[in-house]
Amino acid sequence: MWQNSPPGSLYDYIRVASFALGSDGRIEQWSERAAELFGIAARHAVGKDPAELFAAPEPGRPLAPFLGEGGPDGREWTGIVPYQRGGRRGGPHDGLQGAGLAEIYVMPTETDRGERAALCVAVDVRALRGIETDIAASEAVFGQSPLGFFFFGTDLTLLRVNESFAQTFGRPAAWHRGRTPHDFLPRGEAERLTAALRQVLATGKPVSDIQLVGPVPGQSERRRWSVSLYRLHSGSGRPIGVAALATDVTGRRRAEREAAGVRRNLALLNEAGARIGNSLDLETTARELLAVAVPQFCDLASVDLYQGLLAGDEAPPGLADGSGELRRVAYASAVSGAPVDGGDKPIQVGEVHRYPFHSPCAGALRTAQAQVVPRREREEGPELGAVVQSTLAVPMVARDVVVGLAQFSRTKGSEPFGERDTALAVELAARAAVCIDNARLYRREHERALILQRSLLPPGDPEAAGLDIACRYLPANAATEVGGDWFDVIELPGHRTALVVGDVMGRGLRAAVAMGELRTAVRTLAMLDLEPAEVLSALDEIAHGLGRPGGKQSASRGVRGGVRAADLSEVYLATCVYAVYDPVTRRCTVANAGHLPPVLVEAGRPAKLLDVPPGMPLGVGGEPFEETEIDLPDGALLALYTDGLVESRDHPLDEGLHAFREALTDPARPLEEVCDHVLGALDTHHGEDDIALLMARLRGLPESHVGDWTLPPEPRSVARAREMARDQLLAWGLEDLVDTTELLVSELVTNALRYGEGEIRLRLLLDRTLVCEVWDGGLVQPRRRRARDTDEGGRGLQLVGLLSAAWGSRRTPHGKTVWFELALPDADSPAPDAVEALLSLY
């Protein structure tokens, strides 16, 4: 059946031209392609001698080698003919000029009268050479490329493949001709490739990096290939097939899997470093190890520790041969219902047991070497269950001593343990073992603790201006009541109050001693009236030095009195939160050293954790502390506490904090009832850690109890200050304190004028005592000295010290404040006599 050929054939590339010669050797027919090639229209070419059109004849030779005297000589002829585009004489042409070469093929013919004629086919030599060059280049790229090239036709059968492709897929290149993807790929992969081929053929959009997996003849390992597809077009743009590029990425994929495995292991070790050892408790540390291992590393895991170590023995029996008694302290499983094996009862958490001498577990304990225990019918322990395919038995070694055994198991369907897995399990067990041994040492210290706790805590419920306070303390060891938690309420100048709660790492006598030293240091630093962040910074340096011999930062590991110097530093790691409440401004400034944040409860709102920077624990050193200022409304409840209140082995910290906030739903109740309700609602009898709870209801100073004035830096301000102080005291009904207050205010304002800078601020505060403060912009702190009899001045601060109950100075962000405090007069303590005080100075 005759039909049209689609455009894009070879003739479209080489542009073949044709013309016919008559019996007289002249052009009878001139095709449009000939007119296009030579640049001569048919009307100018027909009837002309071809040689006259193309080139000048050479002397002594015929016009054209394929023409005789009378016309075509009847021979075939092929040759190269130079031509001048548009004709050699510059006749009519299409406007394009230039010389060229044409390859002409002359084919003899006969006319209907039997005369000789010829049909000529001409091609531009440059087009032929370009096609030859393109073909040679394509063959070089296709045949010599290390990448696998292959071409699919529009019927999705292979037309051609190169040798690289044949080697990649394991069959000769000739075998692939006419094949479909189903002939060299598994069914599922072949269908994926076929769908992609159809998509590319239909849309023309390339598809990159299709991952195919399949077998290769003669190889046992399945291979992985990356295939990219793009559509091929003819010169006219007609789709003629799909070209593909295939690369064997099996090795790269294997390397990626290994790299991913290494990254997973590093991430697991990093998580282990962050999560294991956060608690100085044996069982908690064991559970932390399993929380890291299951299910990230294995499907089931357990930890057994020597019973003697748990009992506090220094050298438990059975450590040498692995036959000692062990107690299962932790177990974790990611398998529903495991263990499922029949037979003996599985070992339960808390159960004491022994491993048979010749068992792999006893061997691991005996040799301190990890052992891979593959699953074998009827030989695995009953605790493994029928779903387990292999187990790693890893001894837990700390300081060259085996403290227990960790077992990691994987179920059927999981990847078996390899060498890298074994090394990772050993590292996890070693980290946990060190933490467990540390916990054991601290437990021993706790058992040796005997005294100190109650004598170092504030007696009863302390009082403070603008605050109602209630507190509770529950030691972990109810028998000795010794621990490292503490709280304190410190009155500061200006009726401000410092609220302190701290927690020394560890328990027992040593923790109590450390707590006492830190509490004393806090009180001393608070009396200097430093900012909260400065108090914690100084306390951090003190704690860092207290735990070292001689108070120096020594790395010595010698023994003093049976205790290693390295151990002394450990007990002085502590957390602390230090908050200063100003009842005048209703503002609380809080700094934190690794402690849990305070909880604030406002009327009608749920309890919330204050957003306070956590800071580093005391004793770590090197990190500055930050402080946060918070405005607190009257009637709000502020709770400071230690982690023993909200954390235990039975529930995580977040759950305990949530329960604590839920217990503070009614801040209007009496504080004593609130404390009792919190202790009753939370698990406070776990005996794992000390519990300290300090609650303060904020009520501030009424505005009527505050007098605040600003004075210009001029001499008449002294008299003005006396006058305002006298009027304020009379309004408060404190006539007995007027003379003394006037005298002391006059002294402080005079000193501010003489030695200070800028405006002067006078403030009187009335609460349980009367406080007077004088502010100025000077930075020089006042210094009390004893004046000689002949001195005319220098007795002002002596007088302030004689007449006041207390006095002092503190820095402010813009200068300093000098203050004094007077007790309120009553029948038992009359107001001081200013005259007698003046006379006593001489």
Side-chain angles (χ1 to χ4, degrees):
M1 178 178 179
W2 294 75
Q3 61 180 2
N4 291 330
S5 176
S9 66
L10 180 63
Y11 300 104
D12 293 326
Y13 287 97
I14 62 177
R15 310 294 291 178
V16 177
S18 64
F19 58 92
L21 301 178
S23 59
D24 58 356
R26 294 186 176 276
I27 299 173
E28 288 188 346
Q29 292 182 350
W30 188 255
S31 68
E32 291 183 1
R33 285 282 180 88
E36 180 182 343
L37 174 63
F38 297 109
I40 302 173
R43 65 180 179 275
H44 300 294
V46 174
K48 300 291 180 58
D49 190 310
E52 294 178 355
L53 280 177
F54 300 150
E58 298 182 18
R61 299 188 63 180
L63 292 178
F66 51 83
L67 296 177
E69 293 296 334
D73 57 6
R75 294 179 296 112
E76 289 187 358
W77 183 89
T78 302
I80 304 298
V81 175
Y83 67 91
Q84 185 72 25
R85 185 172 175 81
R88 64 183 180 87
R89 294 180 176 83
H93 53 78
D94 57 5
L96 298 176
Q97 296 288 337
L101 291 176
E103 184 172 320
I104 297 179
Y105 177 41
V106 180
M107 297 173 287
T109 62
E110 288 185 359
T111 65
D112 54 356
R113 298 187 295 273
E115 297 175 340
R116 293 184 179 276
L119 178 62
C120 303
V121 177
V123 180
D124 192 315
V125 172
R126 290 175 300 180
L128 290 176
R129 298 297 179 261
I131 293 174
E132 291 175 354
T133 301
D134 292 344
I135 293 175
S138 299
E139 286 295 329
V141 172
F142 188 83
Q144 300 174 21
S145 172
L147 304 177
F149 282 107
F150 55 107
F151 301 145
F152 282 94
T154 54
D155 59 352
L156 303 186
T157 59
L158 279 170
L159 300 178
R160 188 177 180 188
V161 302
N162 67 351
E163 286 298 327
S164 296
F165 176 88
Q167 294 175 5
T168 299
F169 283 84
R171 291 184 176 89
W175 180 89
H176 291 85
R177 287 187 184 275
R179 304 281 182 173
T180 67
H182 290 80
D183 295 322
F184 57 91
L185 287 174
R187 179 178 179 181
E189 303 294 85
E191 291 177 351
R192 290 179 55 228
L193 180 57
T194 301
L197 288 170
R198 289 196 178 101
Q199 176 185 344
V200 172
L201 196 59
T203 65
K205 294 181 179 180
V207 175
S208 301
D209 196 23
I210 302 175
Q211 298 288 319
L212 301 177
V213 180
V216 172
Q219 298 184 20
S220 58
E221 181 184 11
R222 290 173 63 85
R223 311 298 293 178
R224 179 180 291 270
W225 303 283
S226 173
V227 177
S228 299
L229 308 174
Y230 58 95
R231 192 169 70 181
L232 290 178
H233 303 86
S234 67
S236 62
R238 176 177 59 89
I240 60 175
V242 178
L245 178 66
T247 306
D248 191 329
V249 295
T250 306
R252 186 180 70 187
R253 181 66 176 177
R254 187 186 306 113
E256 291 175 352
R257 288 199 304 268
E258 292 178 358
V262 172
R263 288 193 297 269
R264 285 195 301 270
N265 290 352
L266 290 177
L268 194 63
L269 287 176
N270 183 59
E271 183 181 1
R275 297 181 59 181
I276 298 177
N278 292 324
S279 171
L280 293 173
D281 181 82
L282 297 170
E283 291 82 356
T284 302
T285 302
R287 288 194 296 269
E288 290 170 347
L289 168 62
L290 300 191
V292 172
V294 179
Q296 294 94 326
F297 177 68
C298 61
D299 301 312
L300 302 99
S302 62
V303 174
D304 300 327
L305 298 180
Y306 276 115
Q307 177 69 4
L309 287 176
L310 293 171
D313 296 341
E314 292 294 335
L319 291 184
D321 59 6
S323 62
E325 288 186 339
L326 297 106
R327 185 199 305 171
R328 177 144 298 177
V329 296
Y331 174 80
S333 171
V335 182
S336 177
V340 299
D341 200 24
D344 298 333
K345 178 183 177 182
I347 300 174
Q348 302 296 326
V349 174
E351 185 177 344
V352 178
H353 63 97
R354 298 175 186 266
Y355 286 110
F357 181 81
H358 295 291
S359 66
C361 293
L365 291 169
R366 187 167 51 251
T367 62
Q369 299 292 326
Q371 295 194 19
V372 180
V373 186
R375 171 181 168 81
R376 290 172 292 185
E377 294 298 330
R378 300 181 176 274
E379 292 187 8
E380 69 277 359
E383 73 278 6
L384 297 181
V387 296
V388 174
Q389 71 166 343
S390 64
T391 298
L392 279 175
V394 184
M396 304 179 70
V397 183
R399 301 177 179 91
D400 297 327
V401 175
V402 178
V403 299
L405 181 74
Q407 296 184 68
F408 307 100
S409 302
R410 288 182 177 173
T411 59
K412 294 178 180 180
S414 299
E415 185 178 352
F417 289 114
E419 293 183 3
R420 187 183 294 110
D421 296 323
T422 303
L424 177 61
V426 171
E427 178 66 21
L428 289 174
R431 293 191 180 195
V434 172
C435 296
I436 286 175
D437 194 51
N438 289 338
R440 177 183 65 85
L441 294 174
Y442 279 106
R443 174 177 288 186
R444 182 187 63 187
E445 294 303 318
H446 168 70
E447 292 172 351
R448 293 177 178 178
L450 298 174
I451 55 174
L452 281 181
Q453 185 70 60
R454 288 301 182 186
S455 63
L456 296 175
L457 293 174
D461 291 330
E463 296 181 354
L467 295 173
D468 294 329
I469 296 175
C471 50
R472 295 290 188 274
Y473 176 77
L474 297 177
N477 190 330
T480 60
E481 296 190 354
V482 176
D485 292 9
W486 90 92
F487 63 90
D488 209 344
V489 179
I490 307 171
E491 293 188 74
L492 300 177
H495 285 320
R496 294 172 300 125
T497 303
L499 304 176
V500 188
V501 168
D503 183 1
V504 175
M505 185 178 295
R507 286 168 283 177
L509 180 61
R510 181 171 296 169
V513 171
M515 178 271 288
E517 293 180 343
L518 292 178
R519 177 177 177 269
T520 301
V522 170
R523 279 192 158 267
T524 302
L525 294 169
M527 290 298 100
L528 298 177
D529 209 359
L530 303 176
E531 295 296 326
E534 295 176 325
V535 171
L536 292 185
S537 296
L539 191 63
D540 177 58
E541 294 185 9
I542 294 173
H544 200 62
L546 284 176
R548 286 165 173 76
K552 299 179 180 179
Q553 298 182 10
S554 170
S556 170
R557 298 188 66 85
V559 177
R560 293 192 175 191
V563 180
R564 293 187 304 171
D567 291 338
L568 292 174
S569 64
E570 296 176 359
V571 300
Y572 287 100
L573 290 176
T575 63
C576 179
V577 60
Y578 186 92
V580 175
Y581 175 67
D582 188 340
V584 179
T585 63
R586 271 76 169 175
R587 181 169 296 170
C588 186
T589 305
V590 186
N592 192 4
H595 202 80
L596 294 173
V599 173
L600 176 65
V601 189
E602 300 181 37
R605 296 184 180 181
K608 66 177 182 179
L609 295 174
L610 291 182
D611 186 11
V612 180
M616 297 295 291
L618 299 176
V620 174
E623 293 293 332
F625 296 95
E626 301 180 40
E627 59 187 39
T628 302
E629 289 190 354
I630 304 168
D631 293 324
L632 303 177
D634 288 348
L637 183 65
L638 187 65
L640 284 71
Y641 54 96
T642 57
D643 57 359
L645 180 67
V646 295
E647 185 178 24
S648 76
R649 71 188 65 181
D650 298 325
H651 57 77
L653 176 61
D654 290 344
E655 183 179 326
L657 288 172
H658 178 74
F660 181 37
R661 295 196 300 269
E662 289 292 323
L664 295 173
T665 54
D666 188 5
R669 297 170 58 183
L671 280 184
E672 295 296 332
E673 294 183 12
V674 175
C675 287
D676 294 338
H677 175 69
V678 168
L679 296 182
L682 275 65
D683 178 18
T684 59
H685 303 288
H686 48 71
E688 300 174 25
D689 199 2
D690 309 322
I691 296 174
L693 175 61
L694 176 62
M695 290 191 177
R697 177 171 287 117
L698 315 173
R699 49 184 174 84
L701 284 181
E703 293 184 2
S704 60
H705 285 213
V706 179
D708 198 343
W709 307 273
T710 301
L711 302 170
E714 54 188 30
R716 64 178 180 179
S717 294
V718 178
R720 178 61 178 159
R722 289 196 300 266
E723 179 183 351
M724 290 185 295
R726 180 177 62 254
D727 293 343
Q728 185 65 71
L729 263 61
L730 292 176
W732 286 339
L734 299 177
E735 293 84 356
D736 294 342
L737 295 181
V738 169
D739 293 339
T740 303
T741 302
E742 279 188 309
L743 178 60
L744 299 186
V745 165
S746 177
E747 289 293 337
L748 296 189
V749 174
T750 300
N751 285 345
L753 286 172
R754 181 176 300 176
Y755 305 110
E757 299 176 5
E759 290 185 335
I760 301 171
R761 181 183 177 189
L762 172 64
R763 189 167 74 168
L764 296 178
L765 307 176
L766 176 62
D767 194 70
R768 292 177 298 126
T769 61
L770 175 67
V771 173
C772 175
E773 297 176 329
V774 176
W775 311 48
D776 67 75
L779 299 177
V780 179
Q781 297 291 322
R783 181 175 60 88
R784 182 178 178 180
R785 64 183 179 86
R786 180 170 295 278
R788 292 173 296 181
D789 293 342
T790 58
D791 291 341
E792 296 182 0
R795 297 177 177 84
L797 293 181
Q798 293 186 47
L799 184 63
V800 173
L802 286 173
L803 293 177
S804 64
W807 78 278
S809 67
R810 67 178 184 272
R811 290 177 298 165
T812 65
H814 305 290
K816 67 177 181 296
T817 300
V818 184
W819 58 272
F820 66 84
E821 183 177 351
L822 296 177
L824 300 183
D826 56 29
D828 299 328
S829 57
D833 191 336
V835 176
E836 292 185 3
L838 284 171
L839 294 176
S840 67
L841 297 179
Y842 298 92

